[in-house]
Amino acid sequence: MPERRTVALVTLGCARNEVDSEELAGRLAADGWDLVPEAADADVAVVNTCGFVEAAKKDSVDALLEANDLKTAAAEGRGRTQAVVAVGCMAERYGKELAQALPEADGVLGFDDYTDISDRLQTILSGGVHASHTPRDRRKLLPITPAERQSADVALPGHGDAPADLPEGVAPASGPRAPLRRRLDSSPVASVKLASGCDRRCSFCAIPAFRGSFISRRPSDVLGETRWLAGQGVKEIMLVSENNTSYGKDLGDIRLLETLLPELAATDGIERIRVSYLQPAEMRPGLIDVLTSTPKVAPYFDLSFQHSAPGVLRAMRRFGDTDRFLELLDTIRSKAPEAGVRSNFIVGFPGETEDDLAELERFLTGARLDAIGVFGYSDEEGTEALTYDGKLDEDTIAERLGHISRLAEELTAQRAEERLGETLQVLVESTDGEDGPVGRAAHQAPETDGQTLLTLSHGLVPGRMVEAKVVAAEGADLVAEPLAAGSAAGAGDGVASGAVCTEEAGV
């Protein structure tokens, strides 16, 4: 009997990429590949790259080079890895250009290759060559009219067809755009895609060009995947897309998220539903009401403000200003006083003045945000901002980035101090780390926000929801004492501190 093929998926970037990797894992498992966690133990190392900002692109290249080192070692008899393949946003965005610049990669596959990923990898593993794709503006692949998009035959990560015969542990297809999925870890938290792509045209962002126009997944597919994940032991679902506030517009109901959330929260086994990637300009009263009043739905607002000075926002092709944003936060907190809010900001945008920076400081000081990501502007190919006059020099951008980052650290630490004495619902994520049991409250999304350290470990296991009282703050993190160790508690009515995130910019 021939030895089974092995593959490892190395994922970089955001939660959307993590979902894409699990789709690829499902397709490969369904076709007989063995999934292994370490690239060194795999015949093929598949690197799911990020292509949004310069630092992320560098990390992706470094990961591909590291995988290539494993291939070199295997050729010398010190390992197994025979091929390295790039997929994901950077591969989609640059295609042949990336392949030429990085000959160490044996293949550069775009989103159109995902459905046939098994055949592509087998070809490469057998010594064949699959031509790297030519990048194209994916916004032009779907109809301009959102209502016409659902019937379009376009490859979309997270929206794929699936075969009928599936091995154990692979999520079944529940609809025409419901993908295969195989979990790659045992975390009690998993992301679920609401949609792909974006119709907004922010002048600094290249994502729509390589992710495409906005298209929603059908509610039945989202519900079916959530139920499957609950059966896999998942306790918290995080809904992700490039813009969750647009969900349903191509299905004829822009308020579809408001009806979907209670249905998701009613799923047996799910303790918490979290919604990420919200556009401030698209927030509506009904959505705020559902996010702040539905049991098991976290009162968590991941709002992509990006700046608060009106002139900078208009140059970004965005809307709002300091006072409007503060009014939005007041509305949220009038309904859920302890609601958590996080956001990302770009400093040093072309034309940004000292007065603009002072306006941003005014907003940050008044907003009481739990988590803040701060990024220095950098030119991105294919964006409108690349053509702008008024570019600031690198030293000025670095100075402003350092200044606002220090302010953000101070403000999020102050916000954490405000949580002292609060009672939180904490989802335990690990118990064997050097800090002891660690979990997250309703505010704290994976990777981007702070965490809660629990003072007692008796009865705590990953996936357990416990009620705990905040007794201390350590920067942006919290320390909390379980009130009844090991006891399950309802989710959705407690929040905790955030952190300064410098790894991922919201869109």
Side-chain angles (χ1 to χ4, degrees):
M1 182 176 180
E3 188 175 8
R4 288 173 65 88
R5 303 161 296 178
T6 57
V7 59
L9 286 135
V10 180
T11 306
L12 295 97
C14 65
R16 291 159 291 184
N17 253 20
E18 294 171 5
V19 177
D20 291 349
S21 284
E22 294 198 346
E23 177 193 347
L24 293 174
R27 292 189 178 282
L28 291 165
D31 201 46
W33 291 74
D34 283 340
L35 299 163
V36 295
E38 300 296 332
D41 300 324
D43 297 322
V44 184
V46 177
V47 180
N48 192 349
T49 61
C50 179
F52 182 34
V53 293
E54 203 60 41
K57 287 183 277 189
K58 182 181 182 302
D59 289 343
S60 295
V61 170
D62 289 345
L64 288 164
L65 292 175
E66 288 176 13
N68 184 68
D69 289 342
L70 297 174
K71 186 177 68 172
T72 301
E76 298 171 352
R78 295 180 290 109
R80 176 166 185 155
T81 308
Q82 300 174 49
V84 177
V85 175
V87 299
C89 290
M90 189 176 181
E92 173 64 36
R93 184 176 182 183
Y94 296 104
K96 291 181 178 179
E97 181 183 344
L98 177 62
Q100 292 169 359
L102 199 70
E104 292 85 354
D106 298 287
V108 176
L109 306 181
F111 297 149
D112 292 336
D113 293 306
Y114 280 24
T115 301
D116 301 310
I117 187 67
S118 179
D119 289 343
R120 300 288 187 265
L121 296 190
Q122 186 59 57
T123 295
I124 293 168
L125 191 61
S126 301
V129 176
H130 179 73
S132 301
H133 78 107
T134 301
R136 52 182 171 168
D137 189 339
R138 295 191 73 88
R139 291 172 294 189
K140 299 178 180 179
L141 301 182
L142 290 168
I144 295 175
T145 304
E148 298 176 357
R149 293 175 185 169
Q150 287 290 324
S151 60
D153 185 17
V154 175
L156 299 168
H159 308 244
D161 296 326
D165 298 325
L166 303 177
E168 183 178 355
V170 176
S174 59
R177 289 191 179 277
L180 295 164
R181 181 167 182 172
R182 175 72 174 266
R183 296 215 70 202
L184 293 174
D185 61 39
S186 58
S187 169
V189 183
S191 296
V192 171
K193 272 194 178 181
L194 272 183
S196 289
C198 185
D199 286 342
R200 302 187 72 87
R201 295 296 179 261
C202 300
S203 63
F204 57 84
C205 183
I207 287 177
F210 57 84
R211 276 287 184 178
S213 297
F214 185 90
I215 184 167
S216 303
R217 293 182 66 203
R218 294 186 178 276
S220 58
D221 295 343
V222 178
L223 282 163
E225 189 169 342
T226 297
R227 290 167 183 150
W228 178 80
L229 287 166
Q232 298 287 306
V234 171
K235 299 300 181 183
E236 177 179 322
I237 293 296
M238 185 167 73
L239 300 177
V240 300
S241 75
E242 280 73 17
N243 179 9
N244 281 335
T245 37
S246 284
Y247 179 69
K249 73 175 186 178
D250 52 320
L251 295 171
D253 185 359
I254 192 60
R255 295 176 176 81
L256 194 55
L257 185 55
E258 286 94 306
T259 57
L260 177 61
L261 284 171
E263 294 184 68
L264 291 170
T267 303
D268 288 342
I270 296 298
E271 296 286 346
R272 180 184 289 156
I273 302 290
R274 183 186 305 278
V275 184
S276 61
Y277 303 113
L278 300 170
Q279 281 289 342
E282 297 181 25
M283 290 301 295
R284 47 196 179 268
L287 181 55
I288 295 174
D289 287 343
V290 170
L291 288 171
T292 54
S293 65
T294 306
K296 293 190 178 182
V297 174
Y300 175 79
F301 292 81
D302 177 11
L303 294 163
S304 177
F305 290 120
Q306 300 299 351
H307 213 283
S308 71
V312 176
L313 286 168
R314 300 308 173 268
M316 290 178 170
R317 303 295 185 197
R318 298 176 69 87
F319 304 95
D321 54 46
T322 295
D323 292 333
R324 291 182 189 179
F325 291 163
L326 291 176
E327 287 174 6
L328 172 60
L329 296 178
D330 286 344
T331 298
I332 291 169
R333 288 169 177 146
S334 70
K335 298 176 180 296
E338 297 182 4
V341 186
R342 80 168 321 276
S343 191
N344 296 308
F345 300 89
I346 297 173
V347 297
F349 194 78
E352 181 190 64
T353 66
E354 291 287 351
D355 287 345
D356 293 330
L357 198 68
E359 187 68 3
L360 176 57
E361 290 186 49
R362 182 169 81 89
F363 172 68
L364 291 173
T365 302
R368 296 170 58 233
L369 301 178
D370 297 273
I372 301 170
V374 188
F375 304 85
Y377 171 81
S378 62
D379 284 334
E380 284 293 320
E381 306 99 308
T383 63
E384 182 182 355
L386 181 67
T387 67
Y388 283 2
D389 295 328
K391 299 284 177 66
L392 305 183
D393 62 74
E394 292 184 4
D395 289 343
T396 299
I397 294 174
E399 180 182 351
R400 293 183 181 184
L401 175 62
H403 173 65
I404 296 298
S405 295
R406 289 188 293 272
L407 176 63
E409 290 177 357
E410 179 182 342
L411 292 172
T412 52
Q414 290 176 6
R415 183 63 176 144
E417 292 283 347
E418 293 178 16
R419 303 292 186 187
L420 293 177
E422 284 187 11
T423 298
L424 313 173
Q425 307 300 328
V426 180
L427 178 65
V428 179
E429 289 200 328
S430 67
T431 57
D432 55 1
E434 56 185 45
D435 293 324
V438 174
R440 289 177 302 97
H443 162 74
Q444 298 166 318
E447 306 298 333
T448 59
D449 302 335
Q451 60 185 6
T452 298
L453 311 176
L454 295 164
T455 60
L456 302 176
S457 59
H458 178 70
L460 300 185
V461 295
R464 177 78 68 177
M465 189 74 77
V466 297
E467 190 173 50
K469 182 178 181 179
V470 180
V471 296
E474 297 181 355
D477 295 332
L478 297 179
V479 179
E481 180 178 340
L483 298 181
S487 65
D493 58 353
V495 296
S497 75
V500 174
C501 170
T502 57
E503 295 180 357
E504 178 193 350
V507 298

